[in-house]
Amino acid sequence: ASTIVLRGANDYMLDEMDRALHDSLCVVKRMLESNTLVPGGGAVEAALSVYLQEYATTLETREQLAIEAFADSLLVIPKTLAVNAAKDSADLVSRLR
């Protein structure tokens, strides 16, 4: 058994912290029960971006430009997550590719 003490400025903040803690513990519980893990943090978007970039090189029409632009736009999610975590977004995107 463990005890977690939460402190906050008001009841609203405590309720939000309690809800976030409950959600995170439920995620850990489900992962341990099912033995599966779904990649997050923009991994799916980065993989789709790489696939679309490769697919765009097979086209010779103007659709190639639209597909490349969409593939680049998918990288906004991992870039934003990296910036919010105080990481170098350019380095992260280059490693994801």
Side-chain angles (χ1 to χ4, degrees):
S2 297
T3 300
I4 298 174
V5 179
L6 300 175
R7 292 183 57 195
N10 53 36
D11 288 339
Y12 176 75
M13 174 129 357
L14 285 172
D15 288 341
E16 288 299 314
M17 286 190 289
D18 181 48
R19 192 172 7 265
L21 182 62
H22 179 267
D23 291 347
S24 61
L25 290 174
C26 285
V27 167
V28 171
K29 177 184 169 213
R30 286 185 188 263
M31 192 181 94
L32 292 173
E33 288 175 350
S34 66
N35 252 358
T36 59
L37 175 69
V38 176
V44 173
E45 290 82 1
L48 183 57
S49 173
V50 169
Y51 174 79
L52 288 175
Q53 288 281 358
E54 291 174 2
Y55 173 69
T57 60
T58 65
L59 300 175
E60 296 183 11
T61 62
R62 292 174 56 168
E63 289 178 346
Q64 178 182 18
L65 299 174
I67 292 172
E68 286 177 348
F70 182 71
D72 288 338
S73 71
L74 287 173
L75 293 178
V76 169
I77 295 169
K79 285 179 184 177
T80 303
L81 291 172
V83 168
N84 288 343
K87 302 289 183 185
D88 182 18
S89 63
D91 178 51
L92 175 78
V93 170
S94 67
R95 287 190 298 164
L96 285 174
R97 286 186 172 176

